[in-house]
mmCIF file of all heavy atoms in Angstrom:
data_model
loop_
_atom_site.group_PDB
_atom_site.id
_atom_site.type_symbol
_atom_site.label_atom_id
_atom_site.label_comp_id
_atom_site.label_asym_id
_atom_site.label_seq_id
_atom_site.Cartn_x
_atom_site.Cartn_y
_atom_site.Cartn_z
ATOM 1 N N LEU V 92 199.204 -0.317 185.517
ATOM 2 C CA LEU V 92 199.772 1.031 185.597
ATOM 3 C C LEU V 92 201.241 0.922 185.934
ATOM 4 O O LEU V 92 201.576 0.384 186.998
ATOM 5 C CB LEU V 92 199.038 1.844 186.655
ATOM 6 C CG LEU V 92 199.683 3.184 187.051
ATOM 7 C CD1 LEU V 92 199.719 4.145 185.859
ATOM 8 C CD2 LEU V 92 198.918 3.847 188.239
ATOM 9 N N ILE V 115 214.250 3.983 180.368
ATOM 10 C CA ILE V 115 213.722 3.015 179.420
ATOM 11 C C ILE V 115 213.079 1.790 180.057
ATOM 12 O O ILE V 115 212.418 1.005 179.378
ATOM 13 C CB ILE V 115 214.823 2.512 178.446
ATOM 14 C CG1 ILE V 115 216.001 1.930 179.200
ATOM 15 C CG2 ILE V 115 215.232 3.637 177.525
ATOM 16 C CD1 ILE V 115 217.048 1.330 178.261
ATOM 17 N N ALA V 201 213.628 -8.419 184.990
ATOM 18 C CA ALA V 201 212.252 -8.954 184.929
ATOM 19 C C ALA V 201 212.046 -9.905 183.759
ATOM 20 O O ALA V 201 211.058 -10.677 183.763
ATOM 21 C CB ALA V 201 211.278 -7.805 184.834
ATOM 22 N N ALA V 235 211.024 -1.352 172.711
ATOM 23 C CA ALA V 235 210.316 -0.585 173.750
ATOM 24 C C ALA V 235 209.086 0.082 173.140
ATOM 25 O O ALA V 235 209.077 0.451 171.952
ATOM 26 C CB ALA V 235 211.258 0.460 174.313
ATOM 27 N N MET V 268 224.365 -5.122 190.644
ATOM 28 C CA MET V 268 223.092 -5.582 190.104
ATOM 29 C C MET V 268 223.257 -6.681 189.051
ATOM 30 O O MET V 268 222.459 -7.606 188.971
ATOM 31 C CB MET V 268 222.341 -4.407 189.462
ATOM 32 C CG MET V 268 221.678 -3.519 190.499
ATOM 33 S SD MET V 268 221.052 -2.028 189.755
ATOM 34 C CE MET V 268 219.978 -2.685 188.502
ATOM 35 N N TYR V 285 216.966 0.627 166.452
ATOM 36 C CA TYR V 285 217.629 1.923 166.222
ATOM 37 C C TYR V 285 217.015 2.604 164.987
ATOM 38 O O TYR V 285 216.683 3.774 164.982
ATOM 39 C CB TYR V 285 219.107 1.648 166.017
ATOM 40 C CG TYR V 285 220.017 2.848 165.840
ATOM 41 C CD1 TYR V 285 220.560 3.497 166.924
ATOM 42 C CD2 TYR V 285 220.407 3.250 164.552
ATOM 43 C CE1 TYR V 285 221.440 4.574 166.731
ATOM 44 C CE2 TYR V 285 221.271 4.324 164.363
ATOM 45 C CZ TYR V 285 221.787 4.953 165.470
ATOM 46 O OH TYR V 285 222.668 6.022 165.312
ATOM 47 N N ASP V 297 223.320 2.214 177.484
ATOM 48 C CA ASP V 297 224.230 1.162 177.964
ATOM 49 C C ASP V 297 225.063 1.668 179.145
ATOM 50 O O ASP V 297 225.441 2.838 179.159
ATOM 51 C CB ASP V 297 225.138 0.704 176.835
ATOM 52 C CG ASP V 297 224.348 0.037 175.701
ATOM 53 O OD1 ASP V 297 223.336 0.600 175.290
ATOM 54 O OD2 ASP V 297 224.767 -1.047 175.281
ATOM 55 N N ALA V 338 234.994 3.680 163.880
ATOM 56 C CA ALA V 338 233.658 3.104 163.619
ATOM 57 C C ALA V 338 232.565 3.915 164.316
ATOM 58 O O ALA V 338 231.486 4.148 163.728
ATOM 59 C CB ALA V 338 233.623 1.644 164.034
ATOM 60 N N SER V 355 242.917 11.590 190.485
ATOM 61 C CA SER V 355 243.849 11.032 191.485
ATOM 62 C C SER V 355 244.007 9.526 191.256
ATOM 63 O O SER V 355 243.007 8.782 191.387
ATOM 64 C CB SER V 355 243.328 11.285 192.902
ATOM 65 O OG SER V 355 243.904 10.360 193.800
#
Side-chain angles (χ1 to χ4, degrees):
L92 169 62
I115 57 174
M268 283 171 56
Y285 183 86
D297 295 48
S355 158

